[in-house]
Structure formats: structure tokens, C-alpha cells
Amino acid sequence: GYSALASIYPAMLGQMGIEPISLNAFNDSRRAPRTQDEIAAHLRDLSKIVGTLNYDIGVLFLDEGERLVLVDSSGREIS
């Protein structure tokens, strides 16, 4: 969330037939997670959301979309 990818990535997924749900889908780099604590908090939230919605995967973009972290349907980080 909060990166320039917020306006691009969901549309790309939709064109591939994937049903995305976007959270914090607006460009505001000041609110993006930077510290390890902030990233961990975002990952905890993402894990809960993916599990609650029974989705297959969750994606957290970091560093303005240069890195990403994946979470599986059980809420575990995929490395």
C-alpha cells in the first residue's frame, strides 16, 4: 500500500481474471511502512485479512514497490 503501484497492480490482476482487494491503495510514501516494526505490523494485519477473507495470497509492497512480501492462505510469510 501507499505506493505508485496502488493504481496499477490491481488493474493488472483484474485483467488476468484475479479478484484483487486493495488496501491502502493510494500513493502516499509518508505513510508507507519503513521500519521493521512497521513492516511487521502491516504483515500481521495482512495475514489476518487474507485468512479472514479466505484468500489464497496477500502481497505487501515495500520501498515504493521495489520489494514485496507474500503471505499464504494460512497467514504465513512466503520467502
Side-chain angles (χ1 to χ4, degrees):
Y2 305 118
S3 78
L5 287 176
S7 62
I8 299 168
Y9 191 67
M12 288 174 31
L13 292 175
Q15 289 181 356
M16 294 187 292
I18 298 170
E19 180 185 349
I21 292 183
S22 300
L23 306 172
N24 305 321
F26 55 92
N27 192 1
D28 186 353
S29 62
R30 294 170 298 169
R31 299 184 69 185
R34 300 271 185 222
T35 68
Q36 289 301 321
D37 289 341
E38 291 172 340
I39 292 168
H42 276 73
L43 281 173
R44 279 191 303 274
D45 292 345
L46 179 61
S47 294
K48 290 177 190 174
I49 292 165
V50 169
T52 299
L53 296 176
N54 199 28
Y55 265 47
D56 297 319
I57 196 167
V59 181
L60 173 63
F61 289 103
L62 301 168
D63 301 326
E64 301 301 316
E66 293 178 10
R67 294 186 317 125
L68 61 85
V69 180
L70 301 175
V71 175
D72 70 10
S73 60
S74 299
R76 293 180 303 233
E77 186 177 326
I78 301 171
S79 55

